[in-house]
Amino acid sequence: MIDEIDARILTILQENARTSNAEIARRVGMTASAVFGRIRRLEQDGVIRGYAALVDPAAVALPVLAYVLVRLSAHRRAREVGGALCTVPAVQEVAHLTGEDCFLAKVRCRDTAQLEEVVMGINDIEAVCGTRTIIAFRALREGGALPVACAAPGAD
């Protein structure tokens, strides 16, 4: 479980993972060494899973954003299908759902021809009995930070 200071540190790191320990310490009212220790513990405990660069999809020629809903013929194959979806290079995120559709895959492609190939490949996965694809005009907010302050004790 995280406390209020951990939540503040995590919020700062989600805003900019390159923020120095000294700057974080200044903002949370601690020493840099204490902040370093907390960050190290959060990493070891798996709260911080890693650090990544956020890349503009248009800058790397991946302007097409689509969401593919995947329906299965055999729900007992969900783990296998979920694993297969996670290996598709154009798939950015996969969520296992309740209801008629079993998975939601977020897909980034260079054009609709590539999207067609990706969707056809998803339909070729054994136990997939259908897909529905939604193409987004644009993403208004992506890769948002988790609201970790809500998880700290006393948060309402």
Side-chain angles (χ1 to χ4, degrees), residues 69-130:
L69 290 152
V70 180
R71 187 169 299 156
L72 301 186
S73 59
H75 290 276
R76 68 183 175 282
R77 309 268 312 267
R79 283 197 175 115
E80 177 186 333
V81 173
L85 288 169
C86 289
T87 66
V88 177
V91 172
Q92 220 179 348
E93 298 176 21
V94 177
H96 191 191
L97 309 174
T98 62
E100 281 184 48
D101 296 307
C102 297
F103 292 99
L104 175 65
K106 178 181 175 182
V107 177
R108 278 280 182 187
C109 296
R110 69 181 165 271
D111 54 32
T112 56
Q114 184 183 33
L115 176 60
E116 179 183 24
E117 290 299 316
V118 170
V119 172
M120 288 172 55
I122 289 171
N123 276 296
D124 286 341
I125 297 171
E126 197 170 330
V128 170
C129 69

Side-chain angles (χ1 to χ4, degrees), residues 1-145:
M1 180 172 256
I2 64 169
D3 63 17
E4 183 182 335
I5 293 174
D6 289 340
R8 289 171 59 200
I9 291 169
L10 291 168
T11 299
I12 292 166
L13 288 173
Q14 287 185 105
E15 290 169 0
N16 182 359
R18 297 179 76 180
T19 304
S20 71
N21 289 343
E23 174 60 18
I24 295 169
R26 185 190 66 72
R27 290 171 60 182
V28 299
M30 297 178 71
T31 66
S33 61
V35 165
F36 176 78
R38 281 184 177 254
I39 292 172
R40 182 79 141 198
R41 179 183 47 79
L42 291 166
E43 290 170 343
Q44 290 171 346
D45 290 349
V47 176
I48 296 175
R49 299 185 311 193
Y51 301 89
L54 300 176
V55 178
D56 179 2
V60 293
L62 294 172
V64 176
L65 169 61
Y67 296 91
V68 181
L69 290 152
V70 180
R71 187 169 299 156
L72 301 186
S73 59
H75 290 276
R76 68 183 175 282
R77 309 268 312 267
R79 283 197 175 115
E80 177 186 333
V81 173
L85 288 169
C86 289
T87 66
V88 177
V91 172
Q92 220 179 348
E93 298 176 21
V94 177
H96 191 191
L97 309 174
T98 62
E100 281 184 48
D101 296 307
C102 297
F103 292 99
L104 175 65
K106 178 181 175 182
V107 177
R108 278 280 182 187
C109 296
R110 69 181 165 271
D111 54 32
T112 56
Q114 184 183 33
L115 176 60
E116 179 183 24
E117 290 299 316
V118 170
V119 172
M120 288 172 55
I122 289 171
N123 276 296
D124 286 341
I125 297 171
E126 197 170 330
V128 170
C129 69
T131 58
R132 290 185 299 140
T133 302
I134 301 162
I135 298 176
F137 289 127
R138 63 185 157 160
L140 300 177
R141 181 177 180 185
E142 280 188 292

